[in-house]
Amino acid sequence: MIILYIILGLVTVFLAVILLRAAAFRPKTFPVTESEPVEFDGERAIASLQQLVRCKTVSYYDPSKEDDEEFEKLIGLLPQLYPEVFRVCSFDRLPDRALLFKWEGTSHDHPSVMMAHYDVVPVNEDQWEKDPFCGEIDNGVLWGRGTLDTKVTMNAVLTAADTLISKGFVPENDIYFAFSGGEEINGKGASNIVDWFEERKIDLGLVVDEGGGVVENVFPGVKAPCGVVGIAEKGMMNAIFTVKSQGGHASAPKPHTPVGILSKACCKLEANPFPMHVTKPAAEMFDTLGRHSTFLYKIIFANFGIFKGVLDLLGKKSGGEINALLRTTVAFTQMEGSAAPNVIPPQATMVANLRLNPMDTVESAKARL
Ligand SMILES: [Zn+2]
């Protein structure tokens, strides 16, 4: 009987600690710094962005579909739109539509790179209410493919530099502006720029690129919009699975065709997700955002060590962004068999698109598959 009371007492204490920790799990306060007013020609900045948006710089994996003149049109506009940048900075065109500016600072020790891309993904015009390249402003909204992704960034960087140069500003350290014209198709522009820096043995102090956004209803239990700072991108890898057979007519098949065998592999991999690995930045994000969550989730995030398994399970069951933050993900995207419905394929293939957790490498992921 006494043992029962002791156990009951311990359970009560355990529950009390968990609940108290959840109750004390409140948002951290951060000092708010006053922002400095910035003076620049807003009208001109918007007009420049409109001009960039009007260039149909759509990139395709099949280069014959691309309109090179539109890319040249955009590049040709830059000296007009940002004359001060062109007066003071050096400008290099590297292969695969990469553009590189250098704004010299008083020191060359800790150079920074500001990045953006000026190509855009193809448009399904029927789904647009306006011409996707009109660059029109309606009710305070600028319409156009690529406005956010990421011509606004390119324009912001160049407008800021143009404005500062016109005021006689000289940066403390060198600043590079690096723009890719093939980001959406994994083009080689960005890696050509990396090579350029490596050849010159330039060590960068800071690189700022597209990444993150304001998201809602992504983090469990948090309703407020969250500004998410992207500090890295998961690695990407495509795995191609192939099964061969002797083919033949479908009238007298073996128990399993190559398609059946691939399906089994697909089911097995979907049923067995990669192990969870919470990186340090992810843990810090849980600690920050978890404090803004509902009490139920606070219980989990305030007692992360104890409830890690619950999060693992939730991720596996629900998928989505949180799960993608926790592990290497596998998405089966393509499958190909024979050309006719009544022919057993001599070869069938299946493609999975993997996004690698920092814990994984191409080799370790391949080994697990
Ligand atoms: Zn983008």
Side-chain angles (χ1 to χ4, degrees):
M1 201 58 183
I2 287 187
I3 289 178
L4 191 71
Y5 280 125
I6 292 174
I7 291 173
L8 212 69
L10 285 175
V11 170
T12 312
V13 170
F14 177 72
L15 285 176
V17 169
I18 282 176
L19 292 176
L20 282 174
R21 283 177 61 123
F25 200 53
R26 298 220 183 88
K28 292 177 190 165
T29 50
F30 297 96
V32 179
T33 45
E34 282 296 314
S35 58
E36 282 174 48
V38 178
E39 267 175 43
F40 72 106
D41 187 345
E43 300 276 310
R44 200 189 114 199
I46 293 166
S48 301
L49 179 56
Q50 285 176 295
Q51 294 224 50
L52 298 184
V53 168
R54 284 176 191 139
C55 301
K56 296 176 185 151
T57 49
V58 184
S59 55
Y60 290 92
Y61 281 99
D62 173 2
S64 70
K65 287 186 179 167
E66 292 180 340
D67 189 343
D68 208 42
E69 272 177 36
E70 292 290 327
F71 285 87
E72 288 305 321
K73 188 172 127 192
L74 184 142
I75 297 165
L77 277 172
L78 302 178
Q80 274 164 251
L81 301 179
Y82 317 103
E84 289 296 292
V85 168
F86 276 82
R87 187 173 64 79
V88 167
C89 305
S90 66
F91 174 57
D92 276 308
R93 288 189 65 170
L94 306 184
D96 305 290
R97 297 193 186 122
L99 312 178
L100 186 63
F101 293 84
K102 182 186 178 184
W103 186 10
E104 211 152 291
T106 41
S107 154
H108 311 295
D109 296 339
H110 306 290
S112 304
V113 178
M114 309 280 145
M115 289 169 68
H117 65 88
Y118 60 96
D119 63 318
V120 305
V121 290
V123 192
N124 196 338
E125 300 219 8
D126 317 339
Q127 291 173 347
W128 280 67
E129 287 167 39
K130 290 182 193 287
D131 170 3
F133 295 97
C134 65
E136 192 183 298
I137 295 172
D138 186 2
N139 245 324
V141 174
L142 202 164
W143 285 72
R145 168 63 99 220
T147 301
L148 289 171
D149 187 11
T150 55
K151 287 179 176 175
V152 70
T153 317
M154 183 183 198
N155 181 53
V157 163
L158 292 174
T159 299
D162 208 71
T163 307
L164 286 168
I165 293 169
S166 73
K167 291 177 181 170
F169 178 84
V170 178
E172 235 172 83
N173 281 283
D174 294 343
I175 302 178
Y176 293 88
F177 308 133
F179 305 122
S180 154
E183 192 264 359
E184 302 289 5
I185 52 166
N186 300 318
K188 291 201 70 189
S191 51
N192 293 339
I193 294 173
V194 172
D195 291 344
W196 189 94
F197 283 110
E198 281 184 348
E199 277 160 26
R200 286 159 186 78
K201 299 203 170 19
I202 298 172
D203 245 341
L204 301 172
L206 172 77
V207 178
V208 184
D209 189 15
E210 166 185 6
V214 177
V215 296
E216 276 171 71
N217 297 317
V218 166
F219 196 84
V222 179
K223 288 220 170 60
C226 308
V228 186
V229 181
I231 57 163
E233 193 160 345
K234 290 174 82 182
M236 191 173 82
M237 151 183 176
N238 292 319
I240 304 169
F241 300 76
T242 306
V243 174
K244 290 184 173 155
S245 80
Q246 295 186 325
H249 199 272
S251 58
K254 293 241 168 67
H256 299 289
T257 72
V259 172
I261 295 166
L262 285 177
S263 306
K264 217 171 163 184
C266 171
C267 290
K268 196 169 175 190
L269 286 166
E270 284 193 346
N272 293 282
F274 273 62
M276 176 170 89
H277 170 73
V278 182
T279 57
K280 187 168 173 269
E284 284 170 5
M285 188 180 121
F286 292 146
D287 184 58
T288 306
L289 288 182
R291 293 167 187 271
H292 293 269
S293 193
T294 54
F295 193 72
L296 188 70
Y297 282 110
K298 275 188 184 177
I299 295 175
I300 296 177
F301 292 117
N303 302 284
F304 198 63
I306 299 166
F307 292 111
K308 244 181 178 171
V310 177
L311 191 71
D312 188 14
L313 206 70
L314 279 175
K316 279 181 189 166
K317 292 280 166 236
S318 64
E321 276 98 344
I322 290 294
N323 183 53
L325 203 64
L326 298 174
R327 71 185 86 247
T328 293
T329 56
V330 181
F332 284 92
T333 50
Q334 292 178 302
M335 207 175 199
E336 195 175 29
S338 87
N342 60 345
V343 174
I344 290 175
Q347 176 175 308
T349 56
M350 177 172 80
V351 179
N353 185 259
L354 278 80
R355 302 299 168 103
L356 305 176
N357 185 286
M359 190 69 171
D360 270 314
T361 61
V362 170
E363 287 313 311
S364 72
K366 228 171 118 182
R368 188 182 157 86
L369 293 182

